[in-house]
Amino acid sequence: MKASRHGTGGVSGRGIHIVWSIVPQRSILAVVLWMSGALLAFSATAIAVRALAPAFSIFEMLAVRNGAGVLILLALALVRPELRPGLRPRRFGLHLTRNVLHFAGTDGWAFGLTLLPLATVFALEFTTPAWVALLAIPLLKETMTRGRLVAVVLGFIGILVILRPGLESLQPASFLMLGVAFSFALVAIMTKRLTMTESTFSILFFMNLLQLPMNLAGVSRAFWLEVQSSHALPLIGISLGGLLAHYCLTNAYRQGDATMVVPLDFMRIPLIAFVGWQFYGEPLDPFVFLGSFCIIIGLLYSLHREARTA
């Protein structure tokens, strides 16, 4: 696998030929916009999970999300013939490995939402960028620039400020979320690799198709008979929110390196802290905002350096 410093990332010839370059300013803006969409969609999904949790299990909720995703994407392929090649994966083994890890991480994430405050769940999840930064170097041959390093370090410091590690953090749900963070880091690496050869449509379709039977395996009742009119809006939220979140996230990976995309996800922490306060009466912990300030400063510094070198 060769690398060059004089072009943009792409695929050529009979094998994969990765071409590395400094990310253009236009691509930075695209990453920011795609990630903004992902943040809003992930937050909508978290609210939907909280609303449905009293009536449905995690497997049931995510089976609904996967089933809806498959139907929506098949409908799109029906009306848009240019999407149909995405129904035939070129790297099925990587799709399968990615989705086994993503299945474990997503179910763990949804379970954590029912056990911990929203801001704590999202903060623990954001140990992911540190793992991505380390894994992207040997697995994706990405470079760790000064700006990205500062973003990751300040992000990790911000997480420590938010969590204030101590006896309160030493509970099974917290360790579960740390495992989720590591699995999501591996998923991020695999998503970036898939974007080199697979379309966004294909990645999303096989994510839902492969994870649907995994979640159905955990279902033990005809849960669809329990659906009431009050569940309609949350079910729509979990179906569309999950699909849109991953559509935006996959396109963000297509536009930028994994070590640049993932730190933007830190913005979920102050956003979800506000959601928890507004919807569920969870207290606005000042340490959450102090830690988030560290995260945002690191992020802005990273984006500033990327723009200066573009």
Side-chain angles (χ1 to χ4, degrees), residues 119-120 158 161-162 164 269-270 273 283-293:
T120 302
V161 171
I162 292 169
R164 303 183 300 285
I269 299 174
L284 287 175
D285 189 340
F287 284 96
V288 170
F289 291 96
L290 178 60
S292 298
F293 178 75

Side-chain angles (χ1 to χ4, degrees), residues 103-120:
F103 163 75
T106 302
D107 282 71
W109 178 80
F111 187 52
L113 287 173
T114 67
L115 300 175
L116 296 168
L118 292 178
T120 302

Side-chain angles (χ1 to χ4, degrees), residues 68-85 87 200-202 204-205 208 240 243-244 247:
V70 169
L71 292 176
I72 292 170
L73 293 169
L74 284 176
L76 286 174
L78 184 65
V79 299
R80 295 183 58 186
E82 69 272 16
L83 296 176
R84 294 173 191 171
L87 299 175
T200 300
F201 175 84
S202 183
L204 290 176
F205 178 73
N208 286 286
L240 293 181
L243 193 62
L244 290 173
Y247 177 77

